[in-house]
Amino acid sequence: MHSPIFSLEIFPPKRNAPVGTIYDTLDGLEGLNPDFISVTYGTGKSSDRTATARIAHTVKKEYGIETVAHLTAMYVTRDDVDQTLEMFRAAGVSSILSLRGDEVEGRDPAGEFEHASDLAAYIHETAPEFKLYGACYPEGHFEARSLDDDIVNLQKKVNAGVTHLISQLFYSTDAFLEFLEKARTSGIEVPIEAGIMPPILAKSTMRMAAKCGVEVPEKLQRILERWQGNRDALQKAGIVYASEQINELVAAGVDGVHLYSMNHPRVVRRIWNNVDTLFHEA
Ligand code: FAD
C-alpha cells in the first residue's frame, strides 16, 4: 500500500479491438505496483459485465494486483445486479465502484436505480462483503444545480455504504483542493482520491473538459494551443502537466491519486517516473 494511495484506471478494449490488447496495457504497467487498478464498465449491456469481470479477474489473478470493478446502475435491474455480483465473486473481485452511468440516446433506463447511491445501498444490503467506491466531482457534476447541492448528494452516497471516493478529472488543482475542504467541512470523512487525466491530446482534452464542465486553466490552454500540431511535444507537455498536478496534490496532503491511464502504459510509466518518490510504501 502506498501513502498516499496510488491507483490506475483501465478500460476493456473496444469491441472491434483484439481482446489481447489488454495484455499489452497490463504488461506495460508491470512493476509500477499500484494499490489497485479499476476497470471501467460500459452502459450496462451483458457483454459489458462480462468484459469488466474478465479483465478484473486478469488483473487480480494473473498480475496479482488488487482490482475495483466499475458497475453502472441506470440500465440494469436488481436481477442483473445479482448476476453481476455473482460474476464478480467468481472473478475474485471484492471492490465495486458504484455508478449511475450516463444516458444513452434512444434507450430507456431500467428504472430500478435512479442514482449511484441507490445501487450502493442495494449492494451494501444484499452483498455487504463488497467494499464500495463512489465517484465525486470537484467542480460539481454537470447536472447538479451547484457544487454545494452535489456535495449534499455525495453525502447520501457515503450514507448508502460508499467508503472510498474517486474524483472526476480536473485540471485546476486549486479547484480540487477547495472541493476537498468543502467535502470535509460537510462531514464527508472517507478517503477521496484525486482523478488525474494527463492532457496529452488537445482536441480530446477540450472535449472532455467541456462535457464534464471542467475548467481548463489558462496555463493549460496555452500549452494545448502551442503544441496542438505536434503530437510528441504535446504528449511530453501533458506528462509534465499531470506530474506537476500530482506533485502539488501530494504536497497538499491528499489521500491518493487515481491516474486515468487511457490504456497508455508508456504515458503512465513516464508520469510515475517523475513522481514515484512522493509515494512511500506504507
Ligand atoms: P450519481 O451519484 O447518481 O450523480 C448523478 C447526479 O445526480 C449528480 O448531479 C448528483 O448530484 C445527483 N444525485 C446523486 N445522488 C442523488 C440523490 N440520492 N438524490 C438526488 N440527486 C442525486 N461511466 C460509465 O458509464 N462507466 C464507468 O466505468 C465510469 N467510471 C467512472 C469513474 C469515475 C471515477 C467517475 C468520476 C465517473 C465515471 N463514469 C463512468 C461516469 C459517470 O457514470 C457519470 O459521471 C454519471 O453522469 C454520473 O455518475 P455518478 O455515479 O456520479 O452518479
Side-chain angles (χ1 to χ4, degrees):
M1 186 85 176
H2 290 96
S3 175
I5 299 160
F6 169 62
S7 59
L8 299 174
E9 180 173 301
I10 61 172
F11 52 79
K14 302 256 178 311
R15 227 166 280 272
N16 48 2
V19 81
T21 57
I22 201 64
Y23 285 101
D24 299 338
T25 303
L26 290 168
D27 287 346
L29 297 171
E30 192 110 49
L32 295 192
N33 235 355
D35 294 303
F36 64 85
I37 294 181
S38 79
V39 184
T40 66
Y41 188 87
T43 45
K45 297 192 182 108
S46 54
S47 55
D48 294 329
R49 269 176 257 160
T50 324
T52 300
R54 207 179 46 239
I55 291 168
H57 178 267
T58 302
V59 170
K60 175 116 187 200
K61 300 291 177 191
E62 294 181 40
Y63 290 81
I65 300 169
E66 276 309 315
T67 184
V68 174
H70 297 203
L71 178 57
T72 59
M74 196 180 251
Y75 294 100
V76 294
T77 62
R78 285 181 182 76
D79 279 352
D80 294 329
V81 174
D82 294 343
Q83 285 170 27
T84 309
L85 295 181
E86 209 37 65
M87 208 184 289
F88 284 171
R89 277 189 201 96
V93 171
S94 52
S95 300
I96 296 173
L97 176 52
S98 172
L99 295 151
R100 185 200 66 184
D102 282 321
E103 225 173 305
V104 179
E105 227 181 89
R107 196 154 165 228
D108 291 329
E112 296 199 14
F113 303 104
E114 196 178 344
H115 299 291
S117 53
D118 301 322
L119 177 63
Y122 179 72
I123 299 174
H124 188 57
E125 195 187 313
T126 60
E129 70 275 22
F130 285 102
K131 176 178 162 90
L132 290 172
Y133 288 63
C136 61
Y137 300 84
E139 292 162 78
H141 182 264
F142 68 93
E143 292 167 27
R145 268 180 306 186
S146 66
L147 179 57
D148 288 345
D149 262 18
D150 205 31
I151 290 178
V152 168
N153 292 329
L154 190 58
Q155 180 71 65
K156 294 179 192 160
K157 207 177 274 194
V158 173
N159 294 344
V162 165
T163 57
H164 190 130
L165 294 167
I166 300 178
S167 92
Q168 178 176 257
L169 66 100
F170 58 89
Y171 296 113
S172 161
T173 306
D174 286 346
F176 178 83
L177 295 175
E178 281 161 29
F179 157 77
L180 194 58
E181 197 172 325
K182 276 193 170 193
R184 296 305 183 214
T185 309
S186 314
I188 295 173
E189 289 174 353
V190 301
I192 301 179
E193 275 190 82
I196 297 293
M197 171 90 77
I200 56 169
L201 293 170
K203 273 195 192 136
S204 59
T205 299
M206 294 307 286
R207 197 175 49 236
M208 279 298 281
K211 182 176 168 230
C212 300
V214 162
E215 181 199 342
V216 180
E218 259 181 54
K219 67 172 176 179
L220 178 56
Q221 281 180 35
R222 277 196 295 272
I223 292 170
L224 297 176
E225 277 162 26
R226 175 74 179 85
W227 302 117
Q228 59 182 333
N230 184 337
R231 218 180 155 89
D232 280 355
L234 182 53
Q235 191 174 91
K236 278 199 180 125
I239 286 168
V240 170
Y241 192 89
S243 306
E244 276 173 1
Q245 277 195 290
I246 295 172
N247 185 16
E248 287 165 19
L249 290 161
V250 174
V254 296
D255 296 313
V257 172
H258 184 72
L259 202 52
Y260 293 102
S261 85
M262 302 173 290
N263 292 12
H264 270 307
R266 265 178 295 163
V267 170
V268 172
R269 193 169 277 286
R270 285 162 67 184
I271 293 173
W272 183 240
N273 286 343
N274 288 340
V275 300
D276 57 352
T277 46
L278 311 179
F279 295 77
H280 302 281
E281 296 279 352

